[in-house]
Every structure is written in C-alpha cells, then in structure tokens.
C-alpha cells in the first residue's frame, strides 16, 4: 500500500482505527496475535556442529582427507596424523570466522525503539515498540526513535534524521499532506520510518506497517536473500585442487600399471603410486593460504582496515569498480558554511568540518572582516539552538547540522558561545515551522538595545524585508537588489549549496511583539550563508590513484542529484562524458537494461536500497569485481551482495559493519586505496608461494616418475616427501606471503577475475623449474647409489638433501616474475630467516639419531655437501642467468 499517497482520513479508514480514540486494548491484542510482534524476523542459523562439519566440504580438504585414508590403509600412520592435524586446524580457523559473522539482523534489531507512546482506549500510554500494531496512533518528539512505519497526521516543526535508511545527509522536514504515488523513499515527507530518529519538533501518526513489512524490514529481507559471492581465490583454489587430484590419480594409475608390467609386486607398486600422489598434492597449501591471509589482515589493520572475512583480502586486488556512498564516506558528514554573501560581495570561508578554524577570503585573498559580515555571522549564531562542543581533540555539534554550520562560521570570526552569552540575552523566540520556513528571536544586548533577528529560506524571508543592510546602514530594498539576491541564491544552489538568509529589525525599548507575523515584517535583509557537506580532502587523491590503477569510482547516494553531481565534480570523478542517473530513472530499468548503460554512469542519486542492489548486480553482470562502501542501514544488502563489502568504522551502523567484509577504522576513502594495494600485493604473494610449492612438487613427482621408468629404487620415501611439503616448504612459503609490494603494484590495471592460477607464464615457470629440480635430485641419487649400491638409505638421504636445498635456493627466484637478480634478497628478512630455519630442520632430521629411523636418513660427510650444493644451485641460476643476460643485452 502506498500510504504516502492517501489522505489521512483514507488511511484511518484503511487500517480501521480512530484518530481521537486509537485502538481498543482488546483489538490491539487481537491484531498482535494475528500479525505477530513488531520485530524483524531472522532466518534459522545452522548449529555450531553443522557449521564445523561444513568446513570439511572444501574440495582441497576432501583431497587431503582422501590422502589421509590411503596413508592410514597402507600403515603410514605418521603421514595420516600430520594431514589430519592440518585439516582440523584449517577447519577451526574457518569455523571461528563464520561464527563471528552474520549478525546483521541482530544489529538491525538494536535500532528499533524500546518503547513508544501510543493511544489505546482514548488514553496515551507507553508500550514496548514490539507490541505496536497496524492502526495504533503514536506520538513522538525530539530524541525519540520511531518504532514502526507511520503515516503522519501531525507535524509541528518535525525533522527526522533518516541518513541510515535513505542516505540523505540532512534531517528531513516532515508534513502531513498526501504525495504523488511515485515519489522515492527519501522524498516521502509525510511518513516516519522504523528506526529513524526525531531531531527536532514533535509529531503523531498512524502505524501502517510493522516488523518485516516496514522499510527497515524490507532491508532485513534483502539481507537474508542477498547471495554471498565466492571470491576469485576460492574459485582458483578449487580449480587447482581438481587439477592436482586428476594428476595424482593419473600418476598413481600410471605407476601401478607400469610397475606391474615390469614384473614388480602389485602392493609395492601401489605404495609407490601413493608416494607419487603425496608428492603431487601440496598438503600445506590450504593452511599456508589461510595463514598468509591472516598475516595480511594484521598488516591491513595497521593501515586502519579490519578484515572480517579472510578471502576478501585477495578479492580487493582485482576490484575494478568501487561503489561508494557519498555522505560520511566521500564527504565529512558535517555541514560547513563555505560561502557568505553580504554587502554585494561574495566571501569564501576556508576550513572543513566543525573545527572553528578558518579564514574569510575575497577573490582568493584574505581580507579584514567588515561590520556587515560580522553582523551576518553574529545573527546567524544568535538565532540558533545548536551548540559547538569539544570532546578531546574532536569538535562536534549538539543540534541541527544546518544550525551547527552557522555556529561554526560565527566561531571562525571570534563569536564563541561564551562571548555571545555575555553580550546578548534572548527575550523571546518564535520557533521554526514548515509554513513560514523561518525562525525568529527577540534579543537584547548589554546596552539594553533590543532587536529582532530572523533566519530562514531566502525566498520567504526576502518577502518580509523592506530594507537592505549596506556598509553599516539600512537602505531601501529596491527591485534590482531583490533580483541580485535571487540571482546569488540561484548561483549558490547551482554549486549544491544550501542557502540560509539572515535579517533583523531594531526594536524600541517599550515595543511589544506578540506574534511572529508582526515580528517578521519590515525587516532589514543582511545577507546569505551558503553551506554544504564538503568532500574529504584526501578523497580526491585516492580517487585519482584508483583511476591510475584502472579502478572506476561510482557515487551512490540518497542525496539530491544537484548536490551529488557538484560533489562528484569537486572530486574529479565525473568525466565530461560521464552520466548522472536518479532513482526515478533507475526504477524504470531492469537489471539487463541498466547493464547496457551502467558503464557510462558515475553518479546515482536519490536511490533506495533496492536500487543499490540493482546497480551492484548490473556491474557484476558486466564482469566487474565490485567493492561497495557505505555506512548506513540502507547500504547493508548491497554491501553483502558485492564481491567485497566495505563499511565505515566510525559513522557506520552495526548493520553495515556486520554485512561487510572490510571495516575502515578511520572512515577514510583513502584507506580503501591502501586496502586495494595491500590486496593486490597479497594476491601476488599467493601466486609466488603457489609457484614455489608446485615447482617443488613437480620436482618431487618427476624424480619419482623417472626413477620408476628407469626401474630404479625409490629415491624418496613418502615421509620424506611429506616432510618437504609440510615443514621444509611451509616456512619459506609463508615468508613469501610477507614479501613487500613491488613498485608498480598500483600502476597496473586490475587482473581479470577469470584469470587462471597459472596465467602470465606461471605454468611454464612451475614446470621448467620443477623439471630441473627433479633432474638434479635424480642425478644426486644416481651418483650416491652408484657409490654405495648396497646402502639405499644413504642415496635417499643425498636425494632428500638435494631436493630440499634446490627448493630453498629456488624460493628467492619466486620473488620476481622476471629474474632472481631483480630484487634484493635481504628486502624480505622473514624469508631469509625461514630459509635458514628450514635448512636447520633438514640438518636435524639428517644428523639427529632418534629421527633418522623415522625419516629414513643417515649422516652425510662434508664432501657430499659439495655435490649437493652444486647441483641444487643449477635450477635457479641456469634459467635466471640466461634471462638476466638476455635483458642486459
């Protein structure tokens, strides 16, 4: 039902209530029983046990569990225990993350008013807001939170702050007249919505929607139904797992068939095949990915970004569009006077936010504040209820943001609260109302001079003025001056500035003023103050850097088109051919139709939560990886649906934070750029350790496969391969995850979301390095076996040491896509320490007697290490040296 389009008596009839009497208690209980509590319903959450079991459904985890089963059947219990330990640790990490997430509806419930003043049986009483029903008559005043969706029947200077629902930066003035059926949510000025806050005045209305039928309830429903996107990293790891399991099964079958054909025992060949399967699967990969992402989270926290969902870190790296809310995200969310017109001169005011520091400039130059400007600023602060307060180092406004802007402007000229209180006394006030669109006070100064001060909408106030304040004197206000004032108002409005006019009239000591009509007549017009919620100063640079990185920034706001366009132009995010689209136009388009034009649109204004979802979905259908930023309840569904949801930590509602993957501690758009840079680097680091791990595994596979083809004994036993995969490779792989970013990380376009794991030559690097690692390991085994054919354990130890050392040298080659010589190895001190630790662990399992029988090793003489080191260096320096020489030539 479009309640905003109906007359009050029609609403009364539709919901079967009486404005003067309300519902009877009996009828209210009946409706409550029939339609349920005025609460947001919640989907049933899976049990903790079910969530924990769900962690084992990942494809890579299933592969590891299969390897565990095979190892256990073959009696390789140490292998089985090691794999199970890794799987359980991984599952616990994922389980903890999930249990901390998905609290969006609980946060929404906190926004509901605990009690409401309601008319029952002709008497006003307070009832829990959860007990409100359709047809209840409710009252509210400044400071109250609205308990349900209400069609207003009374509004006395009523202003309601709806930014968390609509994105509108200013409190909305309310009225009671019916509106056109097609107005957007933000323009329904005869409605009050559940969860919004009354900032000024009082009102009453008829409850027309409760619970999930409210505007807030619709958002709750969107949150429940919004799909959760899988990240590129999740998809790539799944793809990699499938590739590896196919390789493992094929190798196992090949070895078994080949061995049996050569006359070996079936059991021996099956054991050899399982050894190959163990070599093919990098058992430590899921755990290392999780740990590296977690380490990335710690680094991002130092840059004021908290990651709530680990895979989101990597997703940031391929973000191609940032959909950003305007209010509080791109702007300060603090109304600020930026222009003052007085004495036919336009002053600009520097300074942002509520800090009372700034200068007054004429034509770009600082000038002394004249009498007229002083009067304008003083009177703006006198006719005012707002108060500037300081908490620690932060300034804030207690009261209406528009009035607050006037108070701050006056403070910049030296008119502080204490100074005004010492100089002036307010004798009487005629409050603002929506019909007059002005507020008036009668003031007396220390010399007992009395005067009237009025502030309000320029068009309304100008009609009440007969004089113009010029050079300290009141002169007749002629038609030409009226025209000039109106042209100035229009000029300021074209820059999206909200204008407030100031006027005054001297009073004699004995003159009595009994009503606002008499007070607001024969006034002297002083001037105008133009204000706006200004852009954050660091946002322009962040948007420019995102543009260099191939990332488009799109503003999505509930604010007016003119305001949104002006802010976008100030931020240089709206190109000459860029389009601005309003919510009304957006409503008429399907997602497919929007998809056709969305690339050209940079600003969406006057939008609703459903619109935001539509925008995100259209961009995703165009193949974009979408980051959605926001701070309000209205942003939560789109934040959840986007590939990466980013919420504001200071101004953000709990709802938006719980729906988001990333929370910015400083509400700074520039932090998003830093997070994207970090995300890109983390993805590159993941590629580095995948390259390292898989090249190592290819080497292990080939050394085993070549040995079987040549009918040689096994160069490595399964426990040695598992030790290499889990322990020796694990520490350097994690250290690669901490590798500092390369210089050009933010000068490259975002990678394509469908880019495979082995893109950009990674597959060739893995195979070529792995082939050489396998060859030199086999050569080491053959040399040792030829020397002592009777001592297989000795030859296996030499092969084991060669394999490990070749991988530890190769890890430095993985830091660059070009050459091992491209980067200073000591840039990453963690990697150096990890390599030394892995080398130490290798020496322990070779030389520590209690471990020798477990790992099938023997102590090696020093002469063998010359062979091992020489062979181990070949895979890295042979190819890297040739590439280096080619680049230098």
């Amino acid at each position: 039902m479009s309640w905003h389009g109906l007359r009050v008596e029609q609403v009364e009839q539709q919901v079967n209530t009486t404005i003067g009497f309300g519902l009877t208690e009996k009828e209210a209980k009946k409706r409550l029983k029939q339609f349920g509590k005025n609460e947001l319903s919640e989907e049933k959450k899976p049990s903790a046990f079910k969530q924990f079991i769900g962690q084992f459904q990942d494809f890579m985890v299933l592969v590891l569990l299969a390897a565990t089963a095979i190892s256990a059947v073959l009696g390789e219990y140490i292998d089985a225990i090691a794999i199970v330990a890794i799987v359980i640790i991984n599952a616990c990490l994922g389980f903890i993350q999930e249990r901390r997430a998905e609290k969006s509806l609980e946060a929404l419930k906190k926004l509901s008013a605990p009690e409401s003043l309601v008319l029952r049986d002709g008497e006003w009483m307070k009832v829990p807001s959860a007990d409100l029903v359709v047809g209840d008559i409710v009252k509210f005043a400044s400071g109250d939170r609205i308990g349900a969706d209400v069609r207003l029947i009374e509004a006395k200077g009523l202003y309601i702050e709806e930014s968390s629902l609509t994105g509108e930066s200013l409190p909305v003035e309310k009225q009671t007249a019916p509106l056109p059926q097609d107005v957007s949510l933000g323009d329904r000025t005869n409605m009050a919505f559940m969860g919004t806050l009354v900032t000024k005045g009082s009102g009453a209305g008829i409850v027309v929607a409760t619970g999930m039928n409210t505007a807030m309830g619709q958002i709750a429903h969107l949150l429940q139904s919004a799909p959760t996107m899988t990240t590129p990293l999740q998809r790539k790891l799944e793809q990699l797992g499938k590739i590896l399991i196919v390789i493992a099964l094929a190798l196992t079958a090949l070895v078994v068939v080949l061995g049996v054909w050569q006359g070996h025992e079936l059991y021996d060949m099956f054991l050899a095949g399982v050894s190959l399967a163990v070599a093919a699967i990098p058992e430590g990969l899921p755990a290392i990915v999780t740990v590296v992402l977690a380490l990335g989270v710690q680094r991002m926290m130092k840059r004021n970004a908290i990651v709530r969902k680990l895979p989101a870190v990597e997703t940031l790296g391929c973000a191609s569009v940032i959909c950003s809310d305007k209010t509080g995200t791109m702007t300060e969310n603090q109304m600020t006077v930026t222009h003052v017109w007085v004495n036919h001169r336009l002053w600009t005011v520097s300074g942002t936010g509520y800090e009372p520091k700034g200068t007054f400039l004429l034509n770009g130059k600082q000038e002394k504040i004249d009498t007229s400007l002083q009067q304008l600023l003083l009177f703006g602060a006198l006719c005012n209820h707002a108060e500037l307060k300081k908490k620690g180092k932060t300034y804030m406004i207690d009261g209406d943001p528009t009035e607050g802007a006037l108070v701050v402007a006056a403070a910049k000229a030296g008119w502080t609260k204490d100074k005004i209180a010492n100089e002036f006394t307010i004798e009487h006030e005629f409050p603002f109302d929506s019909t007059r669109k002005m507020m008036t006070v009668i003031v007396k100064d220390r010399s007992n001079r009395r005067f009237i001060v009025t502030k309000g909408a320029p068009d309304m106030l100008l009609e009440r003025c007969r004089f113009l304040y010029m050079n300290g004197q009141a002169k007749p206000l002629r038609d030409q001056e009226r025209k000039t004032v109106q042209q100035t108002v229009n000029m300021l409005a074209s820059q999206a500035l909200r204008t407030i006019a100031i006027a005054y009239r001297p009073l004699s000591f004995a003159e009595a003023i009994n009503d606002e009509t008499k007070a607001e007549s024969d006034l002297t017009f002083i001037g105008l103050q133009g204000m706006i919620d200004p852009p954050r100063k660091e946002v322009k640079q962040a948007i420019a850097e995102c543009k260099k990185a191939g990332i488009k920034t799109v503003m999505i706001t509930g604010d007016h088109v003119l305001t949104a366009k002006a802010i976008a132009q100030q931020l240089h995010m709206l190109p000459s051919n860029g389009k601005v689209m309003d919510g009304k136009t957006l409503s008429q388009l399907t997602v497919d139709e929007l998809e056709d034009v969305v690339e050209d649109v940079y600003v969406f204004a006057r939008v609703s939560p459903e619109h935001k979802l539509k925008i995100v979905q259209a961009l995703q259908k165009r193949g974009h990886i979408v980051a959605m930023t926001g701070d309000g309840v209205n942003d939560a569904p789109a934040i959840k649906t986007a590939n990466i949801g980013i919420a504001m930590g200071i101004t953000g509602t709990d709802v938006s934070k719980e729906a988001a993957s990333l929370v910015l501690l400083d509400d700074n758009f520039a932090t998003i750029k830093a997070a994207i840079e970090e995300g890109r680097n983390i993805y590159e680091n993941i590629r580095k350790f995948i390259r390292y791990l898989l090249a190592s595994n290819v080497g292990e596979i080939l050394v085993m496969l070549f040995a079987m083809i040549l009918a040689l004994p096994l160069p490595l036993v399964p426990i040695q391969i598992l030790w290499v995969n889990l322990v020796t490779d694990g520490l350097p792989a994690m250290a690669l995850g901490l590798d500092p970013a390369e210089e050009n990380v933010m000068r490259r376009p975002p990678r394509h979301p469908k880019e495979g794991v082995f893109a950009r030559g990674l597959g060739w690097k893995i195979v070529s390095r792995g082939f050489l690692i396998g060859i030199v390991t086999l050569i080491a085994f053959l040399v040792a076996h030829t020397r002592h054919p009777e001592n297989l354990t000795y030859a296996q130890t030499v092969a084991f040491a060669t394999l490990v050392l070749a991988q530890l040298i190769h890890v430095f080659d993985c830091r660059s896509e070009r050459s091992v010589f491209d980067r200073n190895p000591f840039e990453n001190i963690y990697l150096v320490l990890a390599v030394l630790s892995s080398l130490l662990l290798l020496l322990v399992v070779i030389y520590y007697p209690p471990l020798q029988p477990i790992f099938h090793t023997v102590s090696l003489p020093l002469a063998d290490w010359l062979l091992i080191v020489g062979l181990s260096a070949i895979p890295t320096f042979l190819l890297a040296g040739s590439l280096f020489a080619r680049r230098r030539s």
Side-chain angles (χ1 to χ4, degrees):
M1 181 72 70
S2 299
W3 300 105
H4 58 276
L6 302 180
R7 298 191 308 278
V8 170
E9 54 270 23
Q10 289 177 305
V11 176
E12 188 180 20
Q13 189 176 0
Q14 285 283 346
V15 299
N16 195 18
T17 191
T18 308
I19 289 175
F21 188 79
L23 297 176
T24 63
E25 193 65 40
K26 183 179 178 182
E27 177 63 21
K29 287 180 179 176
K30 178 184 173 185
R31 293 187 185 189
L32 188 64
K33 188 175 181 181
Q34 184 178 355
F35 298 108
K37 290 268 190 183
N38 176 33
E39 294 175 335
L40 301 178
S41 64
E42 188 174 348
E43 286 184 344
K44 189 177 180 182
K45 292 182 180 178
S47 65
F49 177 74
K50 193 172 181 180
Q51 269 191 307
F52 184 71
I53 294 300
Q55 305 302 315
F56 297 94
Q57 295 172 358
D58 180 79
F59 193 82
M60 279 294 287
V61 172
L62 294 175
V63 168
L64 292 178
L65 290 175
T68 306
I70 294 170
S71 298
V73 168
L74 296 176
E76 301 291 339
Y77 299 116
I78 294 176
D79 296 13
I81 291 168
I83 296 170
V84 167
I86 288 167
V87 170
I88 291 175
I89 290 169
N90 222 33
C92 289
L93 287 171
F95 172 74
I96 291 167
Q97 286 290 325
E98 280 193 20
R99 292 301 287 183
R100 290 174 61 188
E102 298 304 324
K103 295 178 182 175
S104 303
L105 293 169
E106 291 175 20
L108 271 170
K109 285 179 178 179
K110 291 177 186 175
L111 288 180
S112 299
E115 284 189 327
S116 295
L117 189 61
V118 62
L119 185 65
R120 297 262 176 95
D121 291 317
E123 293 185 8
W124 291 101
M125 62 181 73
K126 282 196 171 184
V127 301
S129 292
D131 292 342
L132 288 178
V133 295
V134 172
D136 267 331
I137 310 299
V138 291
K139 258 186 187 178
F140 29 80
S142 181
D144 290 342
R145 200 172 284 280
I146 306 297
D149 282 6
V150 175
R151 171 63 166 88
L152 296 172
I153 58 175
E154 181 183 288
K156 294 179 179 177
L158 179 64
Y159 281 78
I160 298 181
E161 199 272 304
E162 297 177 344
S163 64
S164 64
L165 185 68
T166 66
E168 174 67 69
S169 55
L170 292 170
V172 179
E173 182 186 358
K174 295 295 182 177
Q175 50 90 30
T176 59
L179 297 166
Q181 295 284 350
D182 60 351
V183 297
S184 65
L185 190 71
D187 292 321
R188 294 176 189 173
T189 54
N190 59 6
M191 297 286 295
F193 300 104
M194 180 184 192
T196 58
L197 186 69
V198 179
T199 60
K200 187 192 287 186
S202 62
I206 305 171
V207 173
V208 293
T210 59
M212 294 299 286
N213 294 321
T214 61
M216 194 75 75
Q218 294 304 308
I219 293 175
H221 175 72
L222 290 171
L223 277 172
Q224 290 176 351
S225 58
T228 302
M229 302 294 294
T230 58
T231 71
L233 178 62
Q234 289 169 321
R235 294 194 290 272
K236 288 178 180 64
L237 287 180
E238 188 173 345
Q239 169 195 351
L240 179 60
K242 290 175 181 175
I243 292 169
L244 293 176
I245 193 66
V246 169
I247 291 172
L249 292 173
L251 285 173
T252 303
L254 176 65
V255 168
V256 171
V257 171
L258 187 65
V260 172
W261 180 68
Q262 288 179 343
H264 294 288
E265 289 291 328
L266 177 63
Y267 176 79
D268 292 339
M269 286 301 97
F270 188 68
L271 183 61
V274 170
S275 299
L276 265 181
V278 170
I281 300 169
E283 289 85 355
L285 183 60
I288 292 170
V289 169
T290 303
V291 171
V292 167
L293 286 175
L295 292 172
V297 166
Q298 296 302 314
R299 285 204 307 278
M300 292 178 84
M301 194 178 294
K302 291 177 183 176
R303 300 182 79 168
N304 290 319
I306 294 178
V307 177
R308 297 186 64 256
K309 298 170 186 175
L310 283 183
V313 177
E314 178 270 339
T315 315
L316 274 169
C318 55
S320 56
V321 174
I322 300 174
C323 292
S324 175
D325 188 44
K326 176 185 73 69
T327 306
T329 307
M330 291 182 160
T331 64
E332 298 278 359
N333 199 19
Q334 296 178 341
M335 289 298 288
T336 306
V337 172
T338 59
H339 292 76
V340 178
W341 184 86
V342 65
N343 252 351
H344 284 267
R345 298 197 294 179
L346 185 66
W347 296 73
T348 56
V349 187
S350 69
T352 58
Y354 293 144
E355 188 170 1
K357 290 182 181 178
T359 54
F360 294 83
L361 310 172
L362 269 176
N363 301 317
K365 295 180 181 178
Q366 187 172 349
E367 297 281 350
K368 184 180 178 182
I369 300 175
D370 60 25
T371 307
S372 300
L373 182 55
Q374 284 280 7
Q375 289 287 78
L376 179 72
L377 297 170
L378 168 62
F379 288 166
L382 268 174
C383 187
N384 205 308
H385 285 150
E387 188 177 336
L388 179 64
K389 293 183 176 180
K390 189 176 182 182
K391 187 176 181 181
K393 293 183 179 181
T394 305
Y395 287 90
M396 59 188 67
I397 288 295
D398 183 5
D400 181 81
T402 300
E403 292 194 329
L406 300 176
V407 169
V408 173
K412 289 176 181 178
W415 289 110
T416 62
K417 176 190 172 185
D418 290 341
K419 185 177 179 181
I420 293 172
N422 287 334
E423 297 278 340
F424 303 96
T425 305
I426 306 294
E427 291 187 343
H428 190 72
E429 176 188 326
F430 300 102
F432 178 94
D433 72 43
S434 56
T435 306
R436 292 162 38 242
K437 292 190 176 178
M438 60 186 74
M439 169 187 174
T440 298
V441 290
I442 299 175
V443 182
K444 183 173 69 174
D445 68 12
R446 292 177 70 180
S447 304
N448 287 326
R449 289 179 300 182
R450 301 171 70 229
F451 47 91
I452 293 168
V453 178
T454 302
K455 79 170 192 298
D459 54 339
M460 302 291 282
L461 189 56
L462 202 56
E463 291 177 7
R464 311 290 181 96
C465 294
R466 286 182 55 201
F467 304 95
L468 177 67
Y469 192 77
M470 285 281 292
N471 300 319
Q473 294 181 341
K475 298 182 178 180
L477 182 60
R478 298 188 298 268
D479 289 343
Q480 182 58 42
E481 274 90 5
R482 291 180 187 274
K483 188 176 180 181
T484 301
V485 171
Q486 194 56 55
Q487 286 173 344
T488 306
V489 170
N490 294 340
M491 181 269 292
L492 294 174
S494 69
Q495 299 175 43
L497 295 177
R498 184 180 187 188
T499 51
I500 298 292
I502 310 288
Y504 86 107
R505 174 160 65 90
L507 278 179
S508 66
F509 184 77
E511 188 176 354
I513 302 292
N514 299 318
D515 61 80
E516 59 262 27
T517 304
K518 189 175 179 182
E520 295 162 356
S521 61
D522 298 331
L523 297 171
T524 300
F525 189 90
I526 301 179
L528 303 164
Q529 295 197 48
M531 62 192 69
I532 195 170
D533 180 11
R536 290 175 174 270
K537 56 187 176 184
E538 64 278 354
V539 169
K540 185 191 290 188
Q541 179 65 25
I543 289 173
E545 291 187 30
C546 286
K547 189 176 181 181
K548 282 182 187 175
I551 301 165
K552 176 185 177 183
T553 305
V554 177
M555 180 190 292
I556 303 180
T557 177
D559 225 331
H560 292 279
V561 174
L562 195 63
T563 306
K565 185 176 180 180
I567 295 292
Q569 288 171 334
Q570 289 179 39
L571 292 172
H572 293 174
M573 63 173 286
L574 184 63
S576 56
N577 62 341
K579 294 180 180 176
V580 179
M581 184 180 288
D582 64 17
K584 194 171 182 180
T585 306
L586 192 55
S587 295
Q588 296 165 0
L589 300 177
T590 64
V591 173
D592 291 336
E593 289 169 338
L594 179 59
E595 185 188 345
D596 295 334
V597 298
V598 74
E599 294 285 6
D600 300 322
V601 182
Y602 287 78
V603 177
F604 292 92
R606 302 306 278 170
V607 296
S608 68
E610 293 84 355
H611 291 149
K612 294 188 176 192
L613 272 179
K614 188 187 284 188
I615 294 162
V616 170
Q617 289 165 349
L619 285 165
Q620 287 172 335
K621 289 186 78 173
R622 293 286 296 183
H624 286 291
I625 297 296
V626 182
M628 170 68 193
T629 75
D631 57 359
V633 174
N634 60 318
D635 298 319
I639 283 175
K640 186 179 178 185
T641 302
N643 303 85
I644 172 81
I646 307 172
M648 302 297 122
I650 299 173
T651 59
T653 59
D654 288 344
V655 182
S656 62
K657 291 174 191 174
E658 295 298 339
S661 306
L662 189 76
V663 179
L664 305 184
L665 289 177
D666 57 0
D667 287 13
N668 192 334
F669 190 93
T671 305
I672 300 169
K673 190 272 300 181
I676 288 173
E677 182 178 355
E678 196 66 59
R680 286 188 174 194
N681 186 45
I682 287 170
Y683 179 74
E684 289 305 313
N685 288 349
I686 288 172
R687 272 174 53 92
K688 289 173 190 176
F689 69 67
I690 285 177
R691 169 184 168 182
Y692 170 62
L693 289 176
L694 294 191
S696 302
N697 283 31
V698 167
E700 295 161 19
I701 291 167
L702 292 180
V703 72
M704 300 290 281
L705 189 60
F706 290 156
M708 290 175 189
I709 292 172
L710 297 172
L712 295 171
L714 291 178
L716 301 164
V717 295
I719 189 64
Q720 289 174 342
I721 294 172
L722 199 66
W723 174 264
V724 171
N725 286 358
L726 297 182
V727 181
T728 307
D729 288 351
L731 288 174
M734 285 186 195
L736 277 177
L738 295 172
D739 216 30
E742 296 189 60
E743 291 179 0
N744 64 344
V745 71
M746 282 301 282
R747 293 197 294 270
R748 301 195 298 252
R751 68 182 183 279
H752 196 279
K754 293 184 180 178
E755 177 183 287
V757 176
F758 304 114
R760 291 182 269 152
L762 186 65
W764 162 248
K765 290 186 180 78
I766 289 170
V767 172
S768 59
R769 271 48 164 200
F771 178 80
L772 287 175
I773 289 171
I775 290 294
V776 298
T777 303
L778 187 62
I779 291 171
F781 175 75
L782 285 170
V783 170
H785 189 54
T786 303
R787 284 182 187 168
H788 301 285
E790 77 291 346
N791 192 349
L792 179 60
T793 305
Y794 163 73
Q796 288 173 332
T797 304
V798 171
F800 177 47
T802 305
L803 176 68
V804 171
L805 203 59
Q807 292 176 5
L808 293 180
I809 295 171
H810 169 243
V811 74
F812 291 100
D813 189 29
C814 296
R815 293 187 64 229
S816 170
E817 290 196 350
R818 294 177 294 275
S819 165
V820 70
F821 302 110
D822 246 32
R823 303 187 72 186
N824 180 353
F826 295 100
E827 273 181 343
N828 188 345
I829 193 65
Y830 299 106
L831 183 59
V832 174
L833 294 174
V835 167
L836 291 175
S837 300
S838 293
L839 185 59
L840 179 63
L841 289 170
L842 171 66
L843 296 176
V844 169
V845 296
I846 289 176
Y847 289 104
Y848 185 52
L851 294 179
Q852 288 176 339
I854 297 174
F855 289 96
H856 305 273
T857 57
V858 295
S859 299
L860 297 176
L862 183 62
D864 286 336
W865 283 101
L866 296 175
L867 171 71
I868 290 166
V869 171
L871 288 172
S872 299
I874 291 173
T876 295
F877 292 100
L878 181 68
L879 289 178
S882 64
L883 284 170
F884 182 68
R886 197 182 311 154
R887 279 211 347 230
R888 290 286 296 269
S889 59

